[in-house]
Amino acid sequence: MLEFYFSYCGVLKRLRSGALGGEMDRLAEHFFTLGYKRASATIYLSRIARFSQFAATRCGPMPISQDVVDSYLCTFTTDTPRIGAVSALGHARRVAPERFLAAVPSVDNVRMLRF
């Protein structure tokens, strides 16, 4: 399905590598099914692929922990690209939840819930 959005072999190879490489065709199908415009879908897929490369260096084939997601988001120095990355990763979590570990609330968050 990635071929619908990208045509260069090198780009397709890069997209299909990384921690989420095996799910990229599913993600492309997800955006197609939801009716995303080609330009929007390619932006989302590129953002997910960038995270996928980052996650591959941190956890390899293992499920991706929230710490890896948080450290990736900390690499952005401004809000706009960080918000875009959060949105793209939300799609990745919905399509491939098996690739992510469930987030465990921190002790501070649990204390705040108790009042």
Side-chain angles (χ1 to χ4, degrees):
M1 188 73 206
L2 279 174
E3 288 84 0
F4 180 76
Y5 297 108
F6 302 94
S7 58
Y8 295 110
C9 293
V11 172
L12 291 167
K13 183 177 178 182
R14 181 179 54 84
L15 290 169
R16 290 185 175 129
S17 65
L20 294 172
E23 284 73 28
M24 291 302 288
D25 281 292
R26 284 174 42 203
L27 285 157
E29 185 175 349
H30 166 76
F31 292 118
F32 182 81
T33 303
L34 292 177
Y36 275 67
K37 300 274 186 189
R38 186 173 292 209
S40 298
T42 56
I43 290 170
Y44 274 114
L45 291 167
S46 297
R47 287 175 178 161
I48 294 167
R50 194 171 302 121
F51 168 75
S52 180
Q53 296 298 323
F54 178 89
T57 64
R58 304 300 192 282
C59 61
M62 301 299 293
I64 302 165
S65 70
Q66 187 60 42
D67 290 339
V68 172
V69 173
D70 292 341
S71 63
Y72 177 72
L73 295 175
C74 286
T75 64
F76 296 101
T77 56
T78 59
D79 289 340
T80 303
R82 186 179 309 114
I83 291 166
V86 168
S87 178
L89 292 175
H91 285 283
R93 282 185 185 271
R94 281 189 292 283
V95 172
E98 69 280 0
R99 292 297 297 128
F100 293 88
L101 293 174
V104 178
S106 70
V107 174
D108 292 332
N109 288 343
V110 172
R111 287 184 190 148
M112 289 175 61
L113 292 175
R114 291 186 185 168
F115 293 56

